[in-house]
Amino acid sequence: DVQVTQSPSSLSASVGDRVTITCRASQDIRSDLGWYQQKPGKVPKRLISAASSLQSGVPSRFSGSGSGTEFTLTISSLQPEDLATYYCLQYNTYPITFGQGTRLEIK
Amino acid sequence: EVQLVQSGGGSVQPGGSLRMSCATSEFRFSDYWMTWVRQAPGKGLEWVANINKDGSEKHYVDSVKGRFTIYRDNAKNSLHLQMNSLRVEDTALYYCARYVAMDVWGQGTPVTVSS
């Protein structure tokens, strides 16, 4: 199985900060990785697919990068509405696996 | 906005069965792989199963193999998850999602397995 290690598990940042979340895969998954945002009590929402393709309607402050085994989600300027848990997902190899999640708090 | 509407689920004792469904009328259903994902209370997301466009290929997470069956009815634009031999650890909110990379999600359906 492909292990996906997401870090940090939680972080607290201020409005306007640049925030980075990382996912590392245990083997090469090319660019078969997505990023999801889940606000409290809400349905997950896809932000990014194929490691770096921004979903239509998602603010441009969100970006994704990486390929192979190391991937990054960046929020360039944190906004209050970005309070959420963020997950990465590898869909290259079965079983499909999510990262453990990063709980993002606003200071 | 594309929507997936879920139904079914509920509460059952260990060893029992439940069926969940997911339907849409807002996209060409037969053009897409479909997926089930679950989230145990207070926990992260877990991929459960997916199925290809015509239902001939199915994949499952090990913990549900032999107990859960994913299937679809393209004539009715619907996806289903038959869950048998349910365990306490299957308690979760279950989501259906479009595509392997899950671009559209249903609203979620709770399943509680408890004695």
Side-chain angles (χ1 to χ4, degrees), chain A residues 4-8 20-24 32-38 44-55 58 62-66 70-74 85-91 98-102, chain B residues 45 101-102 105:
Chain A
V4 178
T5 303
Q6 186 173 341
S7 61
T20 299
I21 299 169
T22 298
C23 275
R24 290 187 173 87
D32 297 333
L33 184 121
W35 289 97
Y36 297 78
Q37 176 193 62
Q38 186 176 32
K45 172 187 174 182
R46 191 173 78 173
L47 301 175
I48 286 167
S49 62
S52 59
S53 295
L54 194 67
Q55 187 87 355
V58 173
F62 291 93
S63 64
S65 64
E70 188 144 343
F71 303 86
T72 299
L73 172 70
T74 300
T85 300
Y86 293 83
Y87 296 93
C88 60
L89 166 79
Q90 74 80 19
Y91 48 88
F98 285 92
Q100 298 88 340
T102 295
Chain B
L45 300 169
M102 306 171 208
W105 294 61

Side-chain angles (χ1 to χ4, degrees), chain A residues 1 36 38 42-46 49 55 87 89 91 94-100 103, chain B residues 33 37 39 43-47 50 59 61 95 99-103 105-108:
Chain A
D1 296 5
Y36 297 78
Q38 186 176 32
K42 300 297 186 182
V43 176
K45 172 187 174 182
R46 191 173 78 173
S49 62
Q55 187 87 355
Y87 296 93
L89 166 79
Y91 48 88
Y94 288 106
I96 292 170
T97 44
F98 285 92
Q100 298 88 340
R103 181 171 295 182
Chain B
W33 283 66
V37 173
Q39 187 169 34
K43 302 297 185 182
L45 300 169
E46 179 182 36
W47 171 80
N50 64 11
H59 300 272
V61 68
Y95 296 99
Y99 189 40
V100 175
M102 306 171 208
D103 61 341
W105 294 61
Q107 81 276 18

Side-chain angles (χ1 to χ4, degrees), chain A residues 11-19 61-62 75-83 86 104-107:
Chain A
L11 74 99
S12 181
S14 300
V15 172
D17 282 355
R18 183 181 182 88
V19 170
R61 64 180 179 275
F62 291 93
I75 308 172
S76 61
S77 179
L78 189 66
Q79 299 302 303
E81 60 266 31
D82 299 334
L83 168 72
Y86 293 83
L104 176 56
E105 298 178 346
I106 312 295
K107 283 182 184 175

